[in-house]
Amino acid sequence: DTKDLPKESKAKGYFPLFSQDIKEATDYYIENKMGSGNIISNVQDIYLWTKSIFSSQFYNIKEITPYGWAARNYFKRQLVEQDGMSPGFISYTSYYPSENLYIIYLGNIEGLGFRKLRLDLAAIYFNEPYSAPPIRTQTIHNQELLSTISGQYV
């Protein structure tokens, strides 16, 4: 239960803005999340959990994929992965069984760029092509032009 924790002891999540700025996400209670979102963890714990799932006799990913995990093929390699988002936070876990490779990241800036990141991290490991994300730039609009379209719209 995190309701009684002081705010300064909690991780802060953020949203990217259209400029290069970020905005702090609204505080929320993890207890309100259902299913896989109802967890507070760290990379080491997620690694140990993922390792225990796929090293056990319960799952053979060639036959069954555990609930919430997706079996995929990236760079001609079989993997299982799972991701998620909460306000201001992202998470991703993947396991490549043939390589015994685990890729796990947790972030405190919510955004869809993390979907590209999961491929880029694997590409780096497998020596495959990848690209850095573009640097966002702020556009300064012509104030005279903006004044011609400002007003009230219904």
Side-chain angles (χ1 to χ4, degrees):
D1 185 1
T2 62
K3 289 181 184 177
D4 297 327
L5 289 176
K7 188 172 182 174
E8 60 273 3
S9 69
K10 298 179 189 178
K12 293 181 182 177
Y14 298 91
F15 295 104
L17 301 176
F18 290 108
S19 65
Q20 291 187 3
D21 295 327
I22 56 175
K23 176 184 176 188
E24 188 172 336
T26 304
D27 194 24
Y28 72 101
Y29 299 110
I30 194 75
E31 293 81 11
N32 295 335
K33 299 290 283 183
M34 301 281 300
S36 62
N38 191 10
I39 187 171
I40 298 173
S41 194
N42 59 48
V43 170
Q44 181 66 26
D45 287 346
I46 293 171
Y47 164 73
L48 292 173
W49 171 249
T50 305
K51 186 176 178 181
S52 70
I53 290 172
F54 294 108
S55 64
S56 74
Q57 62 187 6
F58 299 111
Y59 298 109
N60 176 344
I61 67 167
K62 293 181 180 176
E63 297 172 12
I64 187 170
T65 304
Y67 175 74
W69 292 82
R72 305 220 194 283
N73 193 310
Y74 297 150
F75 309 111
K76 300 179 183 174
R77 293 172 172 88
Q78 183 184 21
L79 73 141
V80 288
E81 65 180 356
Q82 185 177 68
D83 63 15
M85 283 197 286
S86 290
F89 297 94
I90 59 168
S91 66
Y92 175 76
T93 305
S94 65
Y95 172 57
Y96 290 79
S98 296
E99 293 79 8
N100 197 32
L101 171 66
Y102 298 84
I103 297 176
I104 300 166
Y105 68 81
L106 305 174
N108 68 334
I109 298 180
E110 181 184 336
L112 296 177
F114 86 96
R115 296 199 183 275
K116 181 180 178 328
L117 182 60
R118 66 181 172 195
L119 292 174
D120 287 345
L121 289 173
I124 291 167
Y125 182 85
F126 294 123
N127 200 27
E128 297 284 346
Y130 67 94
S131 61
I135 296 175
R136 296 184 314 179
T137 58
Q138 185 174 4
T139 303
I140 307 298
H141 295 282
N142 179 323
Q143 291 300 321
E144 186 177 321
L145 175 61
L146 290 177
S147 68
T148 65
I149 59 171
S150 65
Q152 291 186 341
Y153 296 88
V154 180

